[in-house]
Amino acid sequence: PITPGELLCLGSSLAFSGLFYYLYRRKARVVSRIQEAPKLQVDDNLPALVSAAEGRCLPYVALEGIVLPAQAALTSHYHEGLQGVIQKLLLKEHRLIWNTLVRSW
């Protein structure tokens, strides 16, 4: 005979397994999209490519080339000779929201 405690453990185990499998599949899809990302060169044609893309957005792209810092390059405290730069990204989203109090957009 199966006790209620065993049924509870079995049900929660199945629920957690399903949840973790769902999360795994989502991350695997993102990883495959990143691996298939187009490789673009950092040059003067890059802004035109982004403007021509659907929605003016490239979801995943690998940029190749030399990127110069705006001021000084960042240096690593842990690895000699490793430098990097930070690019500031600003994303604006415009959305229309129905306001029920004033009944307007």
Side-chain angles (χ1 to χ4, degrees):
I2 298 176
T3 64
E6 290 173 336
L7 284 175
L8 180 66
C9 289
L10 179 64
S12 62
S13 175
L14 286 173
F16 281 123
S17 295
L19 173 68
F20 292 140
Y21 182 72
Y22 169 75
L23 294 174
Y24 164 76
R25 292 301 306 155
R26 277 185 52 191
K27 298 300 177 188
R29 239 179 288 136
V30 170
V31 167
S32 69
R33 287 182 64 192
I34 290 172
Q35 288 174 343
E36 296 168 358
K39 293 180 174 71
L40 301 176
Q41 296 294 323
V42 177
D43 56 8
D44 294 334
N45 296 331
L46 188 59
L49 289 173
V50 172
S51 295
E54 181 182 334
R56 296 180 52 128
C57 178
L58 298 170
Y60 296 103
V61 68
L63 296 177
E64 295 177 338
I66 297 173
V67 179
L68 299 175
Q71 295 177 358
L74 300 173
T75 56
S76 174
H77 297 286
Y78 304 107
H79 299 285
E80 287 288 323
L82 186 64
Q83 294 183 339
V85 296
I86 295 177
Q87 176 187 4
K88 183 177 180 182
L89 175 66
L90 180 63
L91 177 67
K92 291 184 180 180
E93 182 176 333
H94 300 284
R95 191 186 272 194
L96 295 174
I97 300 174
W98 176 258
N99 188 340
T100 58
L101 295 176
V102 291
R103 303 210 183 269
S104 64
W105 288 100

